[in-house]
Amino acid sequence: MMNRLKQLIAVLTFLVVLGVGSAVAQRPMTPEDILALKQVSDPQVSPDGRWVAYVVSQTELEQNTINTDVWLVATAGGEPVRLTTSPRADGSPRWSPDSKWIAFISAREERPQIWLIRPNGGEAEKLTSSKSGVQSLVWSPDGKTIAYTALREWTAEEEKKQKDRDDAIVVDQDHRFGRIWTIDVATKKAAEVVAGDFHPSNPQWSPDGTQLAYEVRPTPAADDGARSDVYIITLASKEKRKLFENPGIDNNPRWSPDGRWIAFSSRPDGFGQTELKVIPAAGGTPRTVATRFLYQPGAATWSADGRTLFFTASVRTTNQLFSVPVAGGEPKQLTSHNGTMSGATMSDDGRTIAFTVSDVTRPNDVYVVRDPARFAPVKLTDHNPQLAEIALGRGELYRWKSKDGMEIEGVLIYPPDYDPSKRYPTMAFIHGGPSGVWTQGFPGSSGNYGHIWAGRGWVSFYPNVRGSSGYGDAFMKANVRDWGGGDYQDIQTGLDELVRRGVADPDRLGQSGWSYGGYMTAWTLTQTDRFKALMVGAGLTNMYSMYSTNDLQTTLENYFGAEPWDDEEAYRRASAMVYIKQAKTPTLILHGQQDLRVPIGQAQELYMGLKKNGVPVELVFYPRAGHGLSEPRHQLDRMRREYAFFSKRVLGVDVSDKPALIP
């Protein structure tokens, strides 16, 4: 017996040395670990409920690209299978109605096209030959036709001008509008069915296959995103009609199983939450479903019997699935998890639901519910097993009272070895939007790299300041004509409370933000010197000049209540540049060089204002990058550069020439 015990101890000791099942072997997360994460998305359950097709994205750092492939897993469980292996992007898998084919969009050739593949594998077959490239697709109910969207094809003259670089652009006139096509799957004969000087998208087949509902915007310009309408076309006659007259948003049309009704998202103006509505497909007056629902419903899915609508909604720091009777009533929350779910799809009989779920310590994976009555999710995939080697921080929901008494909420991520008796350097990360929201999902994208900081002994603070989504329409609009007011106080009071609780070290504070988060950080720079360092990413700094140089004038009008020349004070009051001489904090400025959402002039103004006033500042432009950093090497540079900057300025540790110390 003693010999067996000694043998067992020896084996366990050996396993500990190897790091098998031992926390001792875990290491801090690095930027390379973030880039190595496999991102799981777009789960599509087959109509017969037997399979889920989904997309896995993975960074290929040497090629400086992100490759995506279509994967397949059985809803009964089993090993997932990689269905496509193209070195280019494969995505948007969509099942044929008989579950025998998967159509997907692939950029494996010069332009994205629709390809078909059997779920049991084999060679994929190209279906379309679009000269401009396919953007989205949807099968007809009988499986014989696919509707797809693509941009207007270049004329021969336009192609020649492009080739000759005779490509002057007339602003607000040279729009390249979208088109809706149909293609016969058997013959591969394609026909353009919706075209004009407008921008159509999101086609949806009627159950009998004779009509398409679709969205129309006046132009593809970003500023027209809040001016959408739903149209219906009868394919045989080409007759088109607008479903509902509304100056605001109408989108996400979904036909009822009997074809008599259409559920859609709508709001009367271009600002605020949309509501879920139902309208007769033949036309008429829409009716709001779930009139007292606090949150914003996503696109609806009809139950097989047409009596119930399913949708997801952001609920504070989580995403949940709901159902509501079409006849009206209170929505029923079907899920209750501390994390995020997305992409819910349903089998034809309504008995199988597939979706992805993540939380603070687990990235997205595919889950399935096989019995909606019990709603017990079953995990089908595990695409990031390497995280077992990494020491991840603990997440916590955090609430506090702002200066005016409003309750504010956020998320904290603590170091893995957090000791409540100690104070920690603390980073405040401010989200974009301003109607973005921090969730209890895994921090591994959108500038949310909390586990890198946690692994190096920092507390990460993610405040959902007033103006965030997920808290109702009133909260989302609570910063109208008040940028830099209550939202700024929400951040400061949140940090004050962390200091009071003994979590944050008041002498080791930093703040970082991108887009509106960059705005808020630039504003903070001119209002307080409590921080040791700040990072302004793609930040708005001069609201007056920002208005005319960006691509979302309507959004600024909604928040500021007027155009800048009609209310100059509103724009000047909220501009960091007006108060630039009050700035003292060392600042890192990061910006995409091709950013149209927040043009580079905003970064240049802040840089020059700080430089001329003797404030330590670094400005970094990323070539080819727009409003976000899509190239992996740019993402890697940002993570390393940002940590090195804050390490030096907040902790007094210079890691710029010590690669081993850079996480």
Side-chain angles (χ1 to χ4, degrees):
M1 182 68 178
M2 183 61 68
N3 287 337
R4 289 183 180 178
L5 181 60
K6 289 181 179 179
Q7 290 174 353
L8 178 60
I9 292 174
V11 170
L12 291 175
T13 302
F14 178 69
L15 292 177
V16 168
V17 170
L18 289 179
V20 178
S22 172
V24 176
Q26 289 184 322
R27 57 176 177 77
M29 177 167 268
T30 68
E32 287 80 4
D33 292 324
I34 293 288
L35 294 179
L37 289 172
K38 294 182 175 67
Q39 306 291 341
V40 178
S41 62
D42 202 9
Q44 298 288 319
V45 67
S46 59
D48 62 12
R50 297 177 57 202
W51 303 93
V52 181
Y54 60 99
V55 175
V56 177
S57 304
Q58 186 171 11
T59 296
E60 295 180 349
L61 193 57
E62 289 188 7
Q63 291 77 28
N64 198 30
T65 60
I66 298 175
N67 186 36
T68 62
D69 285 297
V70 177
W71 285 64
L72 192 70
V73 65
T75 56
E79 192 69 22
V81 175
R82 184 178 176 179
L83 202 57
T84 68
T85 56
S86 167
R88 303 287 294 277
D90 296 335
S92 301
R94 297 296 182 265
W95 290 92
S96 62
D98 60 6
S99 301
K100 293 182 178 180
W101 291 94
I102 297 172
F104 64 98
I105 298 174
S106 176
R108 59 186 64 189
E109 295 187 349
E110 183 180 0
R111 294 181 177 88
Q113 304 292 347
I114 298 174
W115 294 69
L116 299 176
I117 193 170
R118 294 280 191 181
N120 58 356
E123 290 295 323
E125 175 187 349
K126 189 172 77 166
L127 180 65
T128 60
S129 299
S130 170
K131 293 181 179 179
S132 58
V134 175
Q135 297 177 321
S136 67
L137 71 95
V138 59
W139 288 85
S140 64
D142 62 7
K144 296 180 179 180
T145 309
I146 289 177
Y148 64 92
T149 59
L151 292 178
R152 177 182 64 80
E153 297 178 356
W154 296 113
T155 65
E157 181 182 0
E158 288 171 332
E159 284 187 340
K160 184 178 185 305
K161 284 188 173 184
Q162 291 289 320
K163 185 177 180 180
D164 295 342
R165 297 195 174 184
D166 180 15
D167 52 0
I169 298 173
V170 180
V171 175
D172 287 339
Q173 294 184 37
D174 288 345
H175 295 297
R176 195 171 177 203
F177 294 105
R179 300 287 187 258
I180 296 178
W181 292 68
T182 59
I183 186 168
D184 185 284
V185 175
T187 65
K188 298 185 180 181
K189 182 178 180 180
E192 188 178 79
V193 296
V194 177
D197 290 338
F198 50 83
H199 194 64
S201 62
N202 195 13
Q204 298 289 323
W205 290 91
S206 62
D208 63 5
T210 64
Q211 300 179 91
L212 285 172
Y214 56 96
E215 300 169 18
V216 169
R217 292 161 47 191
T219 75
D223 204 40
D224 278 334
R227 299 170 57 201
S228 58
D229 292 295
V230 174
Y231 278 74
I232 293 176
I233 181 173
T234 301
L235 295 173
S237 66
K238 301 297 189 293
E239 178 187 357
K240 305 180 186 72
R241 57 186 173 86
K242 185 187 291 189
L243 184 63
F244 173 55
E245 193 66 47
N246 178 29
I249 288 180
D250 297 315
N251 58 17
N252 295 323
R254 299 293 187 268
W255 296 82
S256 63
D258 61 8
R260 296 175 56 203
W261 302 90
I262 290 179
F264 65 106
S265 303
S266 180
R267 69 183 180 214
D269 53 36
F271 187 47
Q273 293 188 162
T274 58
E275 296 178 322
L276 180 59
K277 293 182 180 292
V278 173
I279 189 173
T285 302
R287 172 176 53 84
T288 301
V289 180
T291 55
R292 291 179 292 178
F293 188 59
L294 177 62
Y295 308 108
Q296 177 170 275
T301 297
W302 290 81
S303 63
D305 61 10
R307 296 179 179 178
T308 305
L309 293 172
F310 297 88
F311 61 87
T312 56
S314 293
V315 179
R316 304 173 80 90
T317 60
T318 71
N319 293 88
Q320 308 290 350
L321 181 65
F322 293 82
S323 66
V324 64
V326 175
E330 291 298 316
K332 178 182 178 182
Q333 186 171 322
L334 301 177
T335 58
S336 182
H337 50 255
N338 294 325
T340 62
M341 69 168 298
S342 59
T345 57
M346 187 177 297
S347 61
D348 279 352
D349 62 8
R351 295 188 56 81
T352 306
I353 304 173
F355 46 88
T356 60
V357 173
S358 79
D359 60 30
V360 172
T361 59
R362 295 177 297 180
N364 264 350
D365 266 303
V366 178
Y367 287 71
V368 68
V369 167
R370 305 189 188 105
D371 182 1
R374 290 194 308 115
F375 216 94
V378 176
K379 186 179 180 182
L380 296 180
T381 66
D382 183 15
H383 279 285
N384 291 286
Q386 76 279 8
L387 288 177
E389 306 169 2
I390 298 172
L392 301 177
R394 173 176 62 87
E396 180 180 281
L397 192 62
Y398 170 49
R399 295 190 179 100
W400 68 98
K401 295 284 187 179
S402 191
K403 187 174 183 179
D404 61 358
M406 181 179 288
E407 183 180 83
I408 307 297
E409 189 175 70
V411 177
L412 297 175
I413 296 181
Y414 294 97
D417 57 353
Y418 177 72
D419 182 349
S421 68
K422 298 179 181 179
R423 291 184 180 272
Y424 287 81
T426 300
M427 281 290 297
F429 294 98
I430 317 304
H431 65 62
S435 59
V437 63
W438 292 124
T439 70
Q440 295 182 70
F442 189 84
S445 60
S446 302
N448 181 4
Y449 312 121
H451 286 306
I452 290 180
W453 298 82
R456 300 290 162 170
W458 296 67
V459 170
S460 294
F461 168 45
Y462 298 95
N464 283 331
V465 301
R466 65 193 69 193
S468 302
S469 60
Y471 294 85
D473 193 69
F475 190 88
M476 184 188 291
K477 295 179 179 177
N479 64 342
V480 169
R481 294 183 65 85
D482 192 40
W483 282 27
D487 45 10
Y488 167 73
Q489 294 298 337
D490 297 342
I491 300 168
Q492 304 311 310
T493 53
L495 287 168
D496 291 343
E497 180 64 14
L498 287 177
V499 171
R500 188 192 69 79
R501 294 185 186 184
V503 175
D505 184 342
D507 297 321
R508 293 185 293 170
L509 298 178
Q511 181 172 307
S512 170
W514 200 271
S515 192
Y516 168 79
Y519 161 81
M520 188 51 62
T521 305
W523 176 260
T524 298
L525 167 68
T526 66
Q527 304 300 308
T528 180
D529 59 0
R530 76 184 302 186
F531 296 94
K532 294 296 184 182
L534 300 166
M535 193 288 287
V536 177
L540 300 72
T541 62
N542 183 339
M543 301 310 300
Y544 196 95
S545 60
M546 171 71 180
Y547 176 88
S548 295
T549 55
N550 88 341
D551 62 355
L552 284 177
Q553 283 75 35
T554 301
T555 297
L556 294 182
E557 291 165 13
N558 287 330
Y559 278 106
F560 288 86
E563 298 166 357
W565 33 81
D566 291 329
D567 193 346
E568 183 175 344
E569 175 58 24
Y571 285 79
R572 295 293 190 193
R573 184 214 60 78
S575 297
M577 292 308 301
V578 172
Y579 310 96
I580 195 64
K581 295 188 73 67
Q582 299 175 186
K584 299 178 182 178
T585 307
T587 302
L588 173 65
I589 305 171
L590 306 178
H591 215 107
Q593 201 165 33
Q594 303 300 319
D595 195 344
L596 299 179
R597 182 61 39 83
V598 181
I600 62 172
Q602 297 293 301
Q604 291 169 319
E605 288 192 45
L606 181 62
Y607 173 73
M608 193 55 62
L610 295 176
K611 181 180 178 181
K612 291 295 185 181
N613 284 284
V615 180
V617 59
E618 297 176 26
L619 171 60
V620 180
F621 284 134
Y622 291 98
R624 301 172 302 283
H627 193 48
L629 304 182
S630 59
E631 295 183 21
R633 293 194 184 279
H634 286 167
Q635 297 170 1
L636 183 62
D637 179 89
R638 176 194 167 174
M639 287 186 278
R640 288 175 169 173
R641 186 181 301 276
E642 191 171 356
Y643 181 81
F645 180 81
F646 281 98
S647 178
K648 178 180 180 180
R649 295 292 182 175
V650 178
L651 304 182
V653 178
D654 189 350
V655 299
S656 58
D657 60 346
K658 304 176 182 66
L661 296 181
I662 299 177

